[in-house]
Amino acid sequence: MVTEAAEGVKGSILGHDLERNNLNMQHIERSQLFTDPIYRFQYVANFLDFGDDDVDAIKGAAELIKPLVPTVVNAVYAKLHKYDITWAVMAKRHEGFVPKDKVIENTSDLSEDAEQIKFRKDMLSRYFAKLLENPYDERMIKYLEYVARIHTDTPGKKSKINVDLIHINVLLGYVETVLIGGIKSLNLDRDTEYKAIAAFGKLLWIQMDFFIKFYCPEGSEYREPVVVENAVVRQEQGFFSRIWSLFF
């Protein structure tokens, strides 16, 4: 395990001693990057120097940032509503969403106050709450991976959402910009402000890496086939090809 990657990350995700090669470089097992989300997190966190100071900066600013969350969430959905291609994604059922009536599938009928949008806003608010409050342990790391997985065409998903990577990329960039503006509005001392902005920037890059894991073909040779009912599903070259094994 790449334990040095997480020496500063609070929680119970530390593993074995760090391996080094004969040149005293950290050894990274390529196959494990694509099969073990904790190992992947530890490597990316290590590369970004995401550690104790960053976790402390996030926790230290949490109580001040929490009141800004509704503003950030509303800004995100207002931005998504500006483009038909991103708003079209909103016209599909989200993982875990059970509508009182039915899902609105016509974007022209879908307002920012619609039931399914309120559900998504609530999910985004909970996401920010977890970033601010949760320990960065194994459970949290798997949650970050789950957030990425449910936005992609992953076998076993209950929702119909499959968001193109370009939209995920620009959205996280926009979220970072809004967060920076929010943090700067708090009038923190310069050092505290810098540490908070840097910590959230690193964290969003870590989240983005989990998205990339599900979108890109790298490492597909290491992934095990996923069995979904009567189908064997194998992830290859950035999409899921289905080999149907029907039982007659």
Side-chain angles (χ1 to χ4, degrees):
M1 292 288 288
V2 190
T3 55
E4 185 173 306
E7 282 180 353
V9 181
K10 296 182 176 178
S12 56
I13 61 172
L14 301 183
H16 305 293
D17 291 338
L18 184 69
E19 294 182 49
R20 292 182 179 272
N21 64 16
N22 57 4
L23 296 177
N24 202 34
M25 292 187 293
Q26 297 179 29
H27 171 68
I28 306 299
E29 190 64 43
R30 183 174 186 268
S31 62
Q32 204 168 346
L33 291 174
F34 300 101
T35 57
D36 184 346
I38 307 304
Y39 186 88
R40 186 182 182 104
F41 167 84
Q42 290 179 317
Y43 166 66
V44 175
N46 179 262
F47 203 105
L48 292 171
D49 292 326
F50 181 83
D52 273 351
D53 290 344
D54 297 292
V55 175
D56 289 343
I58 291 170
K59 303 300 182 185
E63 291 305 315
L64 295 173
I65 292 175
K66 282 179 185 177
L68 302 177
V69 168
T71 300
V72 174
V73 170
N74 286 333
V76 166
Y77 278 87
K79 175 66 73 171
L80 293 172
H81 200 181
K82 288 183 66 175
Y83 307 95
D84 57 359
I85 196 168
T86 51
W87 202 240
V89 177
M90 303 299 106
K92 296 179 181 179
R93 188 172 68 84
H94 190 284
E95 183 99 352
F97 176 60
V98 180
K100 294 178 181 178
D101 185 13
K102 63 180 181 179
V103 174
I104 299 174
E105 297 182 341
N106 188 335
T107 55
S108 62
D109 297 329
L110 185 60
S111 72
E112 293 177 37
D113 295 322
E115 180 189 8
Q116 65 208 59
I117 300 301
K118 289 181 179 178
F119 177 86
R120 291 171 186 272
K121 286 184 176 183
D122 182 58
M123 291 298 100
L124 183 57
S125 296
R126 293 185 187 185
Y127 170 77
F128 285 128
K130 289 179 184 291
L131 295 186
L132 293 169
E133 299 170 359
N134 283 18
Y136 283 80
D137 54 12
E138 182 172 340
R139 184 176 181 180
M140 181 61 176
I141 305 316
K142 290 184 176 179
Y143 170 73
L144 295 178
E145 185 190 45
Y146 164 79
V147 168
R149 180 180 63 81
I150 63 172
H151 288 82
T152 60
D153 185 18
T154 307
K157 268 181 49 180
K158 296 179 180 179
S159 73
K160 298 179 180 179
I161 295 175
N162 182 32
V163 186
D164 291 333
L165 180 58
I166 184 174
H167 311 310
I168 295 293
N169 187 38
V170 294
L171 179 60
L172 284 183
Y174 179 72
V175 167
E176 183 176 26
T177 300
V178 174
L179 277 175
I180 289 173
I183 292 171
K184 289 184 73 65
S185 74
L186 299 175
N187 295 318
L188 304 171
D189 66 82
R190 190 167 183 177
D191 185 59
T192 301
E193 179 184 272
Y194 168 76
K195 288 179 178 178
I197 289 173
F200 279 106
K202 294 175 187 179
L203 184 54
L204 289 175
W205 274 107
I206 290 170
Q207 178 66 84
M208 187 62 199
D209 176 70
F210 277 123
F211 277 108
I212 290 172
K213 172 186 174 182
F214 289 101
Y215 281 100
C216 296
E218 287 84 1
S220 60
E221 66 269 27
Y222 302 119
R223 295 169 189 155
E224 293 293 327
V226 179
V227 177
V228 181
E229 296 181 353
N230 295 339
V232 177
V233 186
R234 191 179 300 272
Q235 185 177 351
E236 297 174 350
Q237 300 302 311
F239 64 90
F240 296 100
S241 60
R242 290 169 169 79
I243 306 172
W244 300 99
S245 301
L246 301 178
F247 299 103
F248 289 107

